[in-house]
Amino acid sequence: MLAEDLFTDLDTEDKGKIKKSEMPNALVHMGVEMGVPSFSESGDLLNNILKKHGTEGEEELGQAQFAQLLQPIIQDLADALSENRVVAIQNIKVLNGSKIRKVLADEKLLIGAIEGVFEDPNVHGNGGIRERISGFLEKNGHILGLPKQPLSQSCEALNLLYEHLYSRADNKKTIAELDKMTFGAIVKEFLENLAEQLETNPIFLDMEI
């Protein structure tokens, strides 16, 4: 589920803004698809978490502000339910690009990951740029905080994002021109774009990663 989709559902007047007081409704919407417990089932838990993050009042939020506010609420809820051994929401993962940004900031780690894929003929070595990037994501998903390949149907939003970024990468050099330095630059640009998209519009996955 994309934060964008959730925001659109709540923005019934199509103003591009919703009130902070709509956050309880956001959790209700997530409950339908992702197992967030209802307010009646959770006792004071949901209300206390919402109050902690200041969701009361009539202040209006844009889509990015909404996503930024929703992330810590979901994380606190997941932590609280896990401590209480409640199954609901424990499998929800928030993809916001934070781990990708850590890898990008660690030049040694990034170069090692790129070289490991480029020099491994078993990682889509005979494919095109798209296949090479896919191989990189498959081999390094654990350090990037991304789900395992191939993606399941529950990852439709991430699949669509990958396809969008693959299409941009496909406009780069042909596979015949793909030396290690060129491949590294393409992968780095792909990861930068992916991290930027996820930071702006986080994806919530109901799955084990």
Side-chain angles (χ1 to χ4, degrees):
M1 172 182 283
L2 280 167
E4 177 184 6
D5 296 334
L6 195 54
F7 182 87
T8 300
D9 288 343
L10 296 171
D11 183 18
T12 56
E13 297 180 6
D14 198 24
K15 298 192 305 181
K17 297 279 186 180
I18 63 172
K19 294 179 180 179
K20 270 190 175 182
S21 56
E22 286 289 325
M23 293 306 295
N25 289 331
L27 297 183
V28 171
H29 276 65
M30 292 189 73
V32 174
E33 291 190 25
M34 310 190 77
V36 175
S38 68
F39 280 82
S40 60
E41 293 172 332
S42 65
D44 293 330
L45 178 61
L46 292 181
N47 285 322
N48 288 340
I49 290 174
L50 290 171
K51 185 175 181 180
K52 171 186 173 182
H53 292 281
T55 62
E56 301 169 341
E58 299 301 302
E59 179 184 347
E60 292 190 326
L61 306 172
Q63 181 180 307
Q65 294 170 307
F66 168 76
Q68 290 171 359
L69 180 58
L70 183 61
Q71 287 183 64
I73 290 173
I74 293 300
Q75 188 60 59
D76 281 359
L77 180 55
D79 291 344
L81 292 176
S82 179
E83 289 175 4
N84 292 317
R85 299 184 180 181
V86 177
V87 175
I89 208 174
Q90 288 189 44
N91 290 337
I92 287 184
K93 299 292 182 180
V94 181
L95 301 185
N96 59 13
S98 59
K99 289 189 176 181
I100 299 174
R101 288 188 290 277
K102 287 182 180 179
V103 172
L104 287 168
D106 188 334
E107 186 175 358
K108 184 177 180 180
L109 177 61
L110 178 61
I111 291 175
I114 290 171
E115 289 180 346
V117 170
F118 187 82
E119 296 171 0
D120 185 351
N122 296 316
V123 185
H124 302 293
N126 296 320
I129 292 174
R130 175 186 295 238
E131 288 74 23
R132 283 290 187 92
I133 296 175
S134 177
F136 176 86
L137 297 176
E138 182 176 351
K139 188 169 184 178
N140 296 286
H142 61 292
I143 64 172
L144 296 167
L146 298 172
K148 295 178 181 179
Q149 305 274 352
L151 298 179
S152 66
Q153 290 184 345
S154 65
C155 302
E156 180 182 1
L158 187 57
N159 259 321
L160 292 173
L161 178 55
Y162 280 173
E163 285 301 316
H164 171 66
L165 296 178
Y166 284 148
S167 67
R168 294 170 62 177
D170 280 349
N171 294 323
K172 304 295 181 182
K173 293 180 180 294
T174 65
I175 193 64
E177 302 173 290
L178 197 63
D179 56 29
K180 183 163 61 178
M181 183 174 294
T182 304
F183 176 65
I186 291 173
V187 168
K188 184 177 181 182
E189 182 179 356
F190 182 94
L191 293 178
E192 288 172 344
N193 290 332
L194 180 58
E196 180 181 356
Q197 291 287 335
L198 290 174
E199 182 178 23
T200 302
N201 196 16
I203 295 176
F204 302 94
L205 299 180
D206 182 12
M207 60 180 295
E208 289 283 358
I209 295 182

